[in-house]
Amino acid sequence: MDLNTLKGRLIVSCQALPDEPLHSSYIMSRMAKAAESAGAAGIRANSMIDILAIREVVSLPMIGIIKREYPGSPVYITPTSLEIDQLAACGVEIIAMDATNHPRPEMPLAELIAYARAKYPQILLMADTATVTEALQAQQLGFDIIGTTMHGYTAETQGQNIADNDFAYLKQLIPAVTKPVITEGKIDTPEKARRALDLGAFAVVVGGAITRPQQITKRFVAAIDQPEEQEA
């Protein structure tokens, strides 16, 4: 695919895990259709069943992942060659995978990249990273895209938010790498998405703020239930 079709654009993550109210491949396909009709440039989706359902109704390029847990490893986003094969069978344009420095369940990340390149040279690879060090390593390994997906979701970055201090992490990351950076993770307002692009992000992924109504509702409830500040 021509990656430039995503440049400066919005990618919508359509995911619902088994314990979430909207867990359904049909519902995710409708979410993706709604995103497409509203002007999204791409979709990020999880699992073969969701991806195939979305493919039936949406023509946008897709970032595919498969979340699967393996004993003894915290890596769960496209962790092994099995998930690579399954995503390739779905015809996704981009495969994203955990590119953190955590122990992996099957083979080292370098070997997994070599496997994917040899077997599926037409598919672009996106590194879901948490730190600048991991991003630089991913670039050296040959990933086509660097994602900020894991920033704030690993033990080393726990409690951090991509938007902290006017996107200080993004300002550090973008000049450090030469690959396109897709900003993802806790982008929960249009203003944050716009700011990330203005700072040099190649594209922006938004998920929960668009496709997870339970998260959206919680934000409204928290704001409504918050007691008004007493006048001094």
Side-chain angles (χ1 to χ4, degrees), residues 46-193:
N46 166 49
S47 82
M48 292 184 72
I49 188 170
D50 283 8
I51 291 169
L52 292 174
I54 292 170
R55 277 289 191 212
E56 292 183 0
V57 296
V58 170
S59 60
L60 296 176
M62 194 175 307
I63 301 172
I65 64 171
I66 293 178
K67 292 181 176 178
R68 186 171 289 148
E69 295 184 0
Y70 286 86
S73 173
V75 172
Y76 63 93
I77 298 178
T78 318
T80 76
S81 58
L82 171 61
E83 291 78 38
I84 297 285
D85 290 339
Q86 291 175 332
L87 289 168
C90 293
V92 299
E93 288 81 7
I94 302 170
I95 291 176
M97 66 186 79
D98 184 313
T100 64
N101 285 327
H102 297 139
R104 306 186 67 84
E106 181 193 36
M107 63 179 73
L109 185 59
E111 293 182 18
L112 189 60
I113 296 303
Y115 175 87
R117 289 296 189 205
K119 200 167 182 181
Y120 310 109
Q122 77 282 9
I123 299 179
L124 299 178
L125 301 178
M126 177 173 169
D128 288 347
T129 65
T131 67
V132 173
T133 297
E134 290 168 354
L136 289 169
Q137 290 173 348
Q139 178 170 277
Q140 187 175 14
L141 288 174
F143 278 93
D144 301 290
I145 305 161
I146 304 298
T148 63
T149 319
M150 302 303 292
H151 186 73
Y153 293 96
T154 63
E156 299 84 358
T157 62
Q158 188 173 9
Q160 297 178 32
N161 187 303
I162 191 71
D164 286 345
N165 303 311
D166 190 30
F167 289 89
Y169 175 68
L170 201 59
K171 292 175 182 176
Q172 181 185 11
L173 173 63
I174 289 174
V177 297
T178 58
K179 296 294 184 179
V181 172
I182 292 183
T183 302
E184 179 176 8
K186 300 187 174 113
I187 304 296
D188 54 8
T189 68
E191 293 76 18
K192 288 180 182 179

